[in-house]
Amino acid sequence: MSIATSIRYEPLLLRHPANPILTGKDWPYSINSVFNAGATLLADGSTLLLCRVEDRRGLSHLCAARSRNGVDGWQIDSEPTLMPSPRDYPEEIWGIEDPRITFVPELQQYVISYTSYSRGGPGVSLALTKDFRSFERYGVVMPPDDKDSALLPRRIDGYWALIHRPMTPLGSHMWISYSPDLRHWGRHRLILEARRGAWWDANKIGLSPPPIETSRGWLVLYHGVRHTPSGCLYRLGLALFDLENPEKCLLRGDSWIFGPEADYERNGDVKDVVFPCGYTMDQDGDTINLYYGAADCSIALARGSVRSLLTWLDANGSCERRRDQDR
Ligand code: BMA
């Protein structure tokens, strides 16, 4: 047993025994790897994953995989579902990555936010779809360097709200921005900071899947990165934001709740990465199926209970305030 697995802690997200549930070997065409998938339930109750596929040039596109039970029997599109389109959208020249999917009842459409990798760095782009077969691109909504974004499923005080992660030499923190029409964005606010020093989330943080709406607030799973002499460690933490004022952090957990332990998470193209971009909710309204990229090489599934995540946050979280001692 490794040191990491022998330490006592409360496992909140349980790995599925069939992990990894999708790898490059499952693909109907030649690729390098598949990871970091957005997820949603379709109208017929089946699960759709919009997978980031890296081709054998190193550039990424998106490909849909559908399954009745969200675990196996995946029907993978026989060709890329959404390819970079650099002729019309030059910001996609080096690929499109890490999609997050939000179904928006008001629009009766899915809004996909993804990283477009431009010559100027990675930025955030939006595309709308009803069926994951045809897409309407909105282009770049947050210029580089920015990524790890998702749209909230409804307006807040009349405005759409997007969480994202701009990067500056002073830090990689989470922000929220608002828009009347999904095209023009403003009222940018910092909502959660990377910690500093030795903390597990000291070097970068970013939104993982889209926020989960609960009666207590928006439950946010975020990834935290720690730089180590042997590379970066990607782990997951939890925070809760006010339902009607999502700028307001109500609770943030101190320790991570999930990190690379299994071999497929520890070894791959990029070691020690767990990177969820999507979840689906079971009919009980409590069980979440979290789909995560493992070591930038495969897609894995872990399950948890929203109630247990909130109970853990109540016991282990504190109200977030800028820490004067850190300044
Ligand atoms: C992040 C993102 C993810 C990737 C991770 C680990 O910055 O680019 O797409 O999975 O790094 O390489």
Side-chain angles (χ1 to χ4, degrees), residues 35-36 52 97-98 115 147-148 165 204 223 225 232 234 270-271 273 275 277 293 295-296:
F35 51 111
N36 302 3
R52 170 176 172 188
E97 307 177 348
D98 301 356
T115 302
K147 48 167 72 170
D148 298 329
R165 202 285 306 280
K204 279 188 205 176
H223 56 267
V225 183
C232 292
Y234 279 75
V270 184
K271 277 177 65 62
V273 179
F275 201 93
C277 291
D296 284 11

Side-chain angles (χ1 to χ4, degrees), residues 47-162:
T47 298
L48 177 136
L49 296 183
L50 192 60
C51 308
R52 170 176 172 188
V53 172
E54 190 181 281
D55 66 23
R56 296 180 59 82
R57 300 170 302 169
L59 308 191
S60 294
H61 61 265
L62 308 182
C63 186
R66 296 168 172 81
S67 153
R68 285 204 166 283
N69 61 11
V71 177
D72 52 24
W74 295 97
Q75 302 280 327
I76 301 168
D77 281 359
S78 56
E79 290 174 6
T81 309
L82 190 65
M83 276 298 273
S85 182
R87 222 172 40 175
D88 298 323
Y89 298 89
E91 66 276 7
E92 299 183 358
I93 181 95
W94 290 331
I96 56 178
E97 307 177 348
D98 301 356
R100 274 76 166 186
I101 303 170
T102 303
F103 181 71
V104 179
E106 181 186 326
L107 304 173
Q108 283 299 301
Q109 296 207 66
Y110 301 91
V111 176
I112 304 162
S113 59
Y114 57 95
T115 302
S116 41
Y117 200 163
S118 78
R119 287 184 190 277
V124 173
S125 292
L126 295 185
L128 274 65
T129 186
K130 288 193 162 76
D131 54 10
F132 293 92
R133 298 191 199 280
S134 66
F135 300 84
E136 183 189 358
R137 277 172 160 93
Y138 276 41
V140 182
V141 293
M142 297 293 159
D145 270 3
D146 207 322
K147 48 167 72 170
D148 298 329
S149 71
L151 185 77
L152 297 189
R154 57 181 173 81
R155 296 173 191 254
I156 307 287
D157 273 341
Y159 289 87
W160 300 111
L162 186 84

Side-chain angles (χ1 to χ4, degrees), residues 4-288:
T5 50
S6 66
I7 293 169
R8 273 172 196 274
Y9 62 93
E10 186 189 355
L12 288 170
L13 295 168
L14 296 179
R15 290 170 178 81
H16 196 282
N19 276 351
I21 58 164
L22 281 169
T23 74
K25 292 200 187 82
D26 299 311
W27 240 249
Y29 53 93
S30 166
I31 67 170
N32 173 50
S33 53
V34 54
F35 51 111
N36 302 3
T40 193
L41 287 180
L42 298 174
D44 66 359
S46 61
T47 298
L48 177 136
L49 296 183
L50 192 60
C51 308
R52 170 176 172 188
V53 172
E54 190 181 281
D55 66 23
R56 296 180 59 82
R57 300 170 302 169
L59 308 191
S60 294
H61 61 265
L62 308 182
C63 186
R66 296 168 172 81
S67 153
R68 285 204 166 283
N69 61 11
V71 177
D72 52 24
W74 295 97
Q75 302 280 327
I76 301 168
D77 281 359
S78 56
E79 290 174 6
T81 309
L82 190 65
M83 276 298 273
S85 182
R87 222 172 40 175
D88 298 323
Y89 298 89
E91 66 276 7
E92 299 183 358
I93 181 95
W94 290 331
I96 56 178
E97 307 177 348
D98 301 356
R100 274 76 166 186
I101 303 170
T102 303
F103 181 71
V104 179
E106 181 186 326
L107 304 173
Q108 283 299 301
Q109 296 207 66
Y110 301 91
V111 176
I112 304 162
S113 59
Y114 57 95
T115 302
S116 41
Y117 200 163
S118 78
R119 287 184 190 277
V124 173
S125 292
L126 295 185
L128 274 65
T129 186
K130 288 193 162 76
D131 54 10
F132 293 92
R133 298 191 199 280
S134 66
F135 300 84
E136 183 189 358
R137 277 172 160 93
Y138 276 41
V140 182
V141 293
M142 297 293 159
D145 270 3
D146 207 322
K147 48 167 72 170
D148 298 329
S149 71
L151 185 77
L152 297 189
R154 57 181 173 81
R155 296 173 191 254
I156 307 287
D157 273 341
Y159 289 87
W160 300 111
L162 186 84
I163 297 178
H164 56 110
R165 202 285 306 280
M167 216 162 103
T168 81
L170 287 182
S172 299
H173 310 304
M174 287 166 57
W175 288 64
I176 196 165
S177 304
Y178 299 91
S179 169
D181 56 5
L182 296 177
R183 292 189 188 272
H184 303 89
W185 293 88
R187 229 172 83 216
H188 314 287
R189 299 260 201 287
L190 177 61
I191 59 167
L192 199 71
E193 291 185 30
R195 282 181 270 216
R196 301 176 66 178
W199 281 87
W200 68 274
D201 53 357
N203 297 105
K204 279 188 205 176
I205 59 167
L207 182 69
S208 278
I212 303 166
E213 189 166 4
T214 76
S215 57
R216 301 267 317 273
W218 299 101
L219 182 60
V220 164
L221 277 145
Y222 69 94
H223 56 267
V225 183
R226 182 173 180 190
H227 294 159
T228 80
S230 61
C232 292
L233 261 167
Y234 279 75
R235 302 185 179 110
L236 297 183
L238 266 190
L240 188 69
F241 291 84
D242 190 275
L243 268 190
E244 297 314 320
N245 178 13
E247 293 159 25
K248 190 173 161 202
C249 181
L250 304 174
L251 288 170
R252 179 185 191 169
D254 277 347
S255 35
W256 69 86
I257 60 159
F258 193 76
E261 287 178 15
D263 179 62
Y264 53 87
E265 299 161 353
R266 299 227 50 211
N267 296 300
D269 279 0
V270 184
K271 277 177 65 62
D272 291 321
V273 179
V274 289
F275 201 93
C277 291
Y279 73 90
T280 59
M281 178 76 73
D282 281 0
Q283 280 196 334
D284 62 7
D286 183 57
T287 307
I288 55 162

